[in-house]
Amino acid sequence: MDARFKSRDIERRSLDVDGLKRSFLEWLVYSVGKDARAATRRDWFHTVALAVRDRVVDRWMDTTRSYYQEDAKRVYYLSLEFLIGRLLTNSLSNLGIVDECRQALDRLGLSMEDVVDAEPDAALGNGGLGRLAACFLDSMASQGLPGYGYGIRYEFGLFEQRFENGWQVEYPEQWLQFGNPWEFARPEVLYPVQFYGRVEEFRDSVGERAYRWVDADRVLAMAYDTPVVGFGGETINTLRLWSARATRDFNFGHFNDGAYMKAVEQKILSENLSRVLYPNDATETGKELRLKQEYFFTSASLQDILRRYLQHHTTFDNLPNKAAIQLNDTHPAIGIAELMRLLVDQHALRWDNAWEITRATFAYTNHTLLPEALEAWPVRMIERVLPRHMQIIYEINAKFLNRTKARADGDNAKLSRLSLIDERGERRVRMGNLAFLGSHKVNGVSALHTELMKQTVFADFHQEFPDRINNKTNGITPRRWLKQANPALSELITTRIGEGWISDLSQIAALREKADDVVFREEFRRAKRKNKKRLAAYITRQTGEEVLVDSIFDVQVKRMHEYKRQLLNVLHTIALYNEMRDNPTVSWVPVTKVFAGKAAPSYHMAKLIIKLINDVAKVVNHDPSVHDNLKVVLLPNYNVTAAEIIIPAADLSEQISTAGMEASGTGNMKLALNGALTIGTLDGANVEIREHVGPDNIFIFGMTADEVNDLRASGGFNPREVIASNPSLKRALDMISTGAFSPDDRNRYHPIVQALTDGGDHFLVTADFADYCRAQDAAMQLYRDSEEWTRKAILNTANMGWFSSDRTVNEYAGEIWDVHPVHPNHDGEGFR
Ligand code: AZC
């Protein structure tokens, strides 16, 4: 081999400071095309990312080759969302070269922070569901599990949120504008995906009735691969995202008609498919383009999965032993009909055989019980967009209902609830029912949520298939959410218990005994204070507001949604404001209320709540009579990067949804792991967090899911009575309704007041208000005793080990997927 090539080859893998520095300089010149004098921060980010990418490519290929050679069973995580965030620190950290990189940059006169900050935040998701998918990718790679992510390479991620005059305004998020150094375009990995057209019946070679889908429009799905670096760099998995490309086959008929421009325009329009992420979180829009996105990425992924499988196999009998497909919510559930179509129409399998294979391959995760989030596509839309799939869905349904009828003895109401078709009003396909029926396992994301699935949406299915529903409580990756986001605390932890916790978070339990160690408590506080200073500076940069580092940082960060009850927090804020004004001589514990979160652009109530928070902030923050004891800030554009700054700095974690409505939550886990105390309802995973951290180390309040259920079943309650009996609630609401926070438009908050009063207060904000205030008071009292507070904070961190997504993913692997770790063979190549 050419000696020069060989030396470059080694250089590409070297992980020491000199080697990194040399390859940065080389990459800057030869790939970014700049010299050091002219390079911008963004140029340096691209340079460093490309140099880091070099260092994973060999191991990535080794990993893929090992899976292939072992013909390992793979798991395919199909998700319309992957909320990844930035990748530079993540890759460096998982490769174990953060310090080396920092030093190499230092020698070039550059600051690591500046380079890191030049990376756009990849926001290909809305919230919890998308971030969970990203945590799972990290955990699968870190566990050595053969896991692939499949999704869409949206050109525009989740919108950028700005506040204009206190109102949310959405701007397009152009994360790909300057290129994406992490991805590899695969123009040769291209699959056709069809839409519209019609179905033709014919007789196959043995005279059986068969179907083909003809006269359809075609789009191509092109792959982009991003390496997913596992902790330690042993396993590098793949996230494959599809981008829509127009087909090259022009319709010559159109040319002759003189409609050439129209034909070309049509082609270009087909690329809109992967243009933009729908910005709704847990609400469905029912738009045709969304259905097409779902089918587009699912079909391409299934074609890719079958192609990979067929490299080793000649029949499909082994598909369930070689591929597990996890449906992240119902968004990819059309895949069940698509796999049936591929097996029956294209590969000529018998229906029953194909169905058995399909069911054994798929599993489905439900993430919400909210009725408005359960996908139900109009039959007429599916008939038009995916005519063959509609036939297949009818067939699945007919066979299922026929089999069930015998057992249901005349219970027609039950049969109609089990049907894949909702016949009430416009006929619709219930995607949840399809996903349930086409999967061998169906799971919820916390113990409570899974129980409620059995009792509510899937009660009938659960009766029919009692072994199918199982629970997999969510988790979070400790690499991003502790090690990277909170270097101060993670370094402290490592000095005391070693670094085993990074890949085995259960080891963090060793910190329990340190809760009684005064010196450790002091250091723990110091780490928190450092993070609070960092957040305080960020708050000032973002909002111009100055906050007291020694106040309680009381944090509610998540999507804006009525069920998450930001309003409850706002009402408490106003009540506290009034108390402080009424009692200026009391020595108050200073409080900083930190909010952040986006509202779906069409969710007017959520946007009004944003405006209210900003209006309350304006009044409170400029009222000298509270002596800076209370500040309210709403940080703009909450995303993964902002979360990494906010979460490590929190003292109090607001997890205050109406019980029974938050499927799990994952922010609750991130905050508790970083030593925040939770104030929360017994909802979602809060229930399990309480079990792990202990009831003394969490502030629980409010109605339980059962109580909520009983109250609603008995016809609800009268919020007016509750309000009348609680003077501080009444006063806070009166201020909102009379325009104390909106002197420019006194009626602005009428819809909010209406919803909480005559509207019946569906989310039970007023019903839980008094108990919430009691819990808030308890938190404030405890905060005065900083030793006791710190002790509880340490016990939170120490007891959160079980909430690692490594644990979650291992449960999926063992109980649903039956996949096992593979140890890639790296042939002793120069790495470490
Ligand atoms: C969310 C749930 O609301 C949240 O409670 C859960 O932690 C998260 O999924 C991950 O499981 N759901 C969504 O983001 N979206 C939908 C459609 O449910």
Side-chain angles (χ1 to χ4, degrees):
M1 195 192 294
D2 179 330
R4 220 182 124 253
F5 183 78
K6 178 84 186 152
S7 81
R8 258 188 76 158
D9 198 38
I10 290 168
E11 186 111 311
R12 278 176 187 276
R13 298 204 197 99
S14 100
L15 298 177
D16 61 32
V17 179
D18 281 334
L20 282 166
K21 184 186 149 195
R22 275 198 303 275
S23 62
F24 291 166
L25 286 171
E26 186 168 323
W27 266 110
L28 180 69
V29 175
Y30 295 105
S31 292
V32 177
K34 287 275 186 89
D35 72 19
R37 257 170 319 185
T40 63
R41 284 178 188 183
R42 188 180 304 117
D43 294 328
W44 281 111
F45 158 66
H46 279 261
T47 298
V48 174
L50 291 169
V52 171
R53 197 180 77 167
D54 271 358
R55 283 154 177 78
V56 307
V57 170
D58 290 311
R59 307 213 130 217
W60 187 23
M61 292 181 188
D62 291 346
T63 305
T64 308
R65 203 178 309 118
S66 296
Y67 295 164
Y68 182 81
Q69 278 163 0
E70 294 193 18
D71 189 23
K73 181 168 182 182
R74 284 119 162 143
V75 53
Y76 299 108
Y77 200 80
L78 265 58
S79 180
L80 206 49
E81 305 190 6
F82 287 93
L83 227 186
I84 295 167
R86 289 175 174 163
L87 280 176
L88 181 52
T89 312
N90 187 250
S91 310
L92 291 170
S93 172
N94 279 3
L95 289 172
I97 55 168
V98 176
D99 288 341
E100 288 78 357
C101 182
R102 184 185 298 279
Q103 286 173 45
L105 289 172
D106 203 53
R107 288 190 195 172
L108 292 164
L110 297 160
S111 112
M112 173 99 148
E113 281 64 36
D114 286 349
V115 173
V116 164
D117 274 342
E119 179 171 6
D121 182 291
L124 309 186
N126 274 288
L129 170 150
R131 183 53 232 178
L132 185 76
C135 282
F136 282 7
L137 289 180
D138 181 85
S139 281
M140 289 191 287
S142 297
Q143 303 290 304
L145 291 170
Y148 291 69
Y150 275 113
I152 294 181
R153 181 180 177 271
Y154 299 106
E155 200 173 311
F156 299 97
L158 185 60
F159 64 86
E160 181 196 333
Q161 177 196 53
R162 296 190 205 159
F163 300 134
E164 293 179 4
N165 203 7
W167 294 97
Q168 168 176 299
V169 179
E170 302 91 25
Y171 287 82
E173 174 59 83
Q174 303 191 50
W175 72 295
L176 291 173
Q177 200 175 12
F178 301 100
N180 173 5
W182 301 114
E183 69 185 10
F184 289 84
R186 305 287 192 209
E188 76 289 1
V189 183
L190 219 49
Y191 295 99
V193 178
Q194 307 202 110
F195 298 100
Y196 310 112
R198 60 193 173 83
V199 179
E200 225 171 54
E201 191 184 316
F202 64 102
R203 295 278 159 185
D204 68 11
S205 52
V206 290
E208 296 271 346
R209 197 176 301 201
Y211 301 89
R212 62 180 154 239
W213 183 7
V214 297
D215 294 344
D217 288 0
R218 274 187 165 206
V219 187
L220 297 174
M222 175 180 149
Y224 283 81
D225 289 345
T226 301
V228 179
V229 182
F231 183 67
E234 279 299 309
T235 292
I236 318 282
N237 281 337
T238 303
L239 169 62
R240 176 160 279 187
L241 300 179
W242 301 105
S243 183
R245 290 288 175 276
T247 51
R248 299 282 162 248
D249 50 318
F250 282 95
N251 180 341
F252 286 97
H254 277 169
F255 284 32
N256 297 338
D257 297 346
Y260 171 76
M261 287 310 288
K262 207 175 134 208
V264 178
E265 261 171 40
Q266 277 303 319
K267 297 288 167 200
I268 300 207
L269 282 181
S270 68
E271 300 190 347
N272 282 342
L273 227 41
S274 54
R275 207 71 76 193
V276 59
L277 166 76
Y278 274 89
N280 304 319
D281 179 75
T283 34
E284 277 319 315
T285 52
K287 291 280 189 306
E288 182 169 313
L289 182 62
R290 166 78 170 207
L291 172 65
K292 290 173 74 176
Q293 286 186 335
E294 296 184 351
Y295 178 64
F296 166 74
F297 99 96
T298 306
S299 171
S301 306
L302 286 173
Q303 292 180 62
D304 201 36
I305 291 166
L306 293 189
R307 174 201 52 83
R308 191 172 295 118
Y309 171 82
L310 289 172
Q311 289 176 346
H312 273 280
H313 302 267
T314 49
T315 75
F316 287 95
D317 296 339
N318 258 315
L319 185 66
N321 303 322
K322 293 296 167 186
I325 303 179
Q326 189 68 34
L327 302 173
N328 197 23
D329 218 277
T330 55
H331 313 149
I334 191 69
I336 288 163
E338 173 69 353
L339 185 58
M340 287 300 288
R341 186 185 71 87
L342 293 170
L343 295 178
V344 173
D345 293 1
Q346 300 210 332
H347 295 280
L349 264 66
R350 304 297 300 254
W351 180 278
D352 290 345
N353 186 209
W355 181 244
E356 212 174 294
I357 292 170
T358 297
R359 231 179 28 75
T361 304
F362 281 104
Y364 155 53
T365 306
N366 172 280
H367 293 270
T368 181
L369 304 172
L370 298 184
E372 65 269 30
L374 301 178
E375 288 188 295
W377 293 106
V379 165
R380 287 183 44 185
M381 191 190 289
I382 299 196
E383 254 165 7
R384 194 159 39 79
V385 179
L386 303 168
R388 178 62 184 134
H389 297 78
M390 196 59 239
Q391 291 184 337
I392 290 171
I393 290 168
Y394 278 140
E395 181 83 19
I396 294 171
N397 200 33
K399 286 187 191 288
F400 168 58
L401 292 180
N402 268 335
R403 250 182 300 123
T404 316
K405 212 176 266 162
R407 276 200 310 274
D409 56 10
D411 188 347
N412 284 333
K414 180 174 178 183
L415 282 177
S416 74
R417 289 194 303 268
L418 284 168
S419 174
L420 300 191
I421 313 293
D422 185 347
E423 308 274 356
R424 302 164 303 174
E426 185 186 12
R427 300 175 71 231
R428 286 168 184 272
V429 178
R430 295 164 166 151
M431 300 308 277
N433 291 16
L434 175 63
F436 194 109
L437 207 53
S439 297
H440 65 291
K441 291 282 176 196
V442 175
N443 73 284
V445 290
S446 75
L448 174 66
H449 166 61
T450 301
E451 275 320 299
L452 293 175
M453 275 170 73
K454 293 179 185 170
Q455 291 167 23
T456 61
V457 263
F458 293 122
D460 297 301
F461 276 98
H462 179 53
Q463 220 172 45
E464 291 299 307
F465 306 97
D467 300 328
R468 199 165 292 184
I469 298 184
N470 67 101
N471 179 50
K472 296 284 167 282
T473 299
N474 284 163
I476 55 169
T477 168
R479 268 79 60 188
R480 183 177 290 265
W481 295 112
L482 185 51
K483 182 170 187 283
Q484 290 154 229
N486 196 344
L489 181 56
S490 33
E491 279 155 29
L492 172 63
I493 293 170
T494 297
T495 61
R496 298 304 161 95
I497 66 169
E499 52 181 22
W501 62 271
I502 301 167
S503 49
D504 171 11
L505 196 62
S506 69
Q507 292 184 26
I508 207 163
L511 283 183
R512 278 179 202 149
E513 59 184 60
K514 304 277 186 286
D516 295 319
D517 172 342
V518 203
V519 179
F520 185 78
R521 284 205 298 262
E522 179 56 37
E523 289 180 83
F524 191 94
R525 264 197 303 276
R526 205 177 297 150
K528 179 63 79 180
R529 197 159 196 286
K530 190 171 173 188
N531 296 329
K532 289 174 75 171
K533 273 182 148 167
R534 181 173 69 164
L535 176 56
Y538 180 81
I539 289 172
T540 308
R541 269 201 314 279
Q542 296 287 326
T543 68
E545 212 55 66
E546 307 264 348
V547 301
L548 282 179
V549 174
D550 293 311
S551 60
I552 302 188
F553 279 19
D554 176 347
V555 170
Q556 187 169 24
V557 287
K558 50 183 80 251
R559 285 299 285 254
M560 290 287 167
H561 213 297
E562 286 161 284
Y563 86 82
K564 294 177 188 282
R565 298 200 296 190
Q566 279 91 358
L567 270 181
L568 182 56
N569 193 351
V570 174
L571 287 170
H572 170 257
T573 304
I574 298 171
L576 184 61
Y577 170 62
N578 289 334
E579 261 189 81
M580 286 179 173
R581 285 191 302 161
D582 292 349
N583 304 284
T585 56
V586 170
S587 99
W588 290 97
V589 180
V591 175
T592 302
K593 291 270 189 182
V594 179
F595 293 87
K598 296 176 183 177
S602 57
Y603 190 170
H604 298 293
M605 188 59 108
K607 290 175 113 171
L608 192 58
I609 293 169
I610 284 179
K611 174 67 172 162
L612 175 62
I613 299 171
N614 277 323
D615 273 350
V616 170
K618 208 158 65 182
V619 170
V620 170
N621 297 348
H622 300 125
D623 186 338
S625 68
V626 295
H627 302 296
D628 287 344
N629 282 327
L630 182 60
K631 288 276 166 162
V632 181
V633 292
L634 172 47
L635 288 163
N637 203 37
Y638 184 58
N639 59 14
V640 172
T641 301
E644 288 169 1
I645 299 170
I646 299 168
I647 289 172
D651 293 308
L652 195 59
S653 159
E654 299 273 352
Q655 308 302 334
I656 59 179
S657 49
T658 315
M661 301 197 80
E662 187 71 270
S664 161
T666 46
N668 47 2
M669 301 170 189
K670 293 163 198 167
L671 283 152
L673 180 62
N674 281 277
L677 272 59
T678 303
I679 179 165
T681 47
L682 285 175
D683 198 16
N686 294 353
V687 176
E688 290 150 273
I689 292 176
R690 178 177 72 155
E691 281 161 19
H692 281 83
V693 305
D696 294 342
N697 303 312
I698 187 167
F699 301 99
I700 294 293
F701 72 93
M703 298 174 74
T704 63
D706 282 341
E707 287 165 356
V708 169
N709 192 29
D710 292 348
L711 182 74
R712 288 195 177 147
S714 70
F717 73 115
N718 184 352
R720 291 243 181 238
E721 280 169 20
V722 177
I723 296 163
S725 70
N726 187 321
S728 95
L729 174 59
K730 178 164 191 322
R731 184 169 165 202
L733 269 173
D734 283 347
M735 287 169 74
I736 295 175
S737 74
T738 57
F741 305 104
S742 55
D744 53 326
D745 177 3
R746 296 196 177 269
N747 291 324
R748 178 175 297 144
Y749 297 112
H750 178 74
I752 289 179
V753 175
Q754 165 71 20
L756 294 180
T757 53
D758 300 333
D761 188 12
H762 182 67
F763 301 96
L764 306 177
V765 172
T766 59
D768 274 346
F769 180 81
D771 203 29
Y772 177 58
C773 291
R774 178 204 48 81
Q776 280 282 358
D777 285 345
M780 272 184 275
Q781 286 319 312
L782 183 70
Y783 197 76
R784 290 178 190 276
D785 183 349
S786 98
E787 291 299 332
E788 193 51 18
W789 180 281
T790 310
R791 205 179 65 77
K792 290 180 192 285
I794 294 167
L795 287 175
N796 267 266
T797 300
N799 287 314
M800 285 299 290
W802 188 76
F803 295 92
S804 168
S805 47
D806 297 346
R807 185 270 312 155
T808 311
V809 154
N810 280 330
E811 288 182 5
Y812 277 89
E815 296 161 28
I816 298 179
W817 303 334
D818 192 29
V819 298
H820 304 278
V822 169
H823 299 289
N825 178 2
H826 296 302
D827 287 325
E829 298 202 19
F831 184 88
R832 289 217 166 143

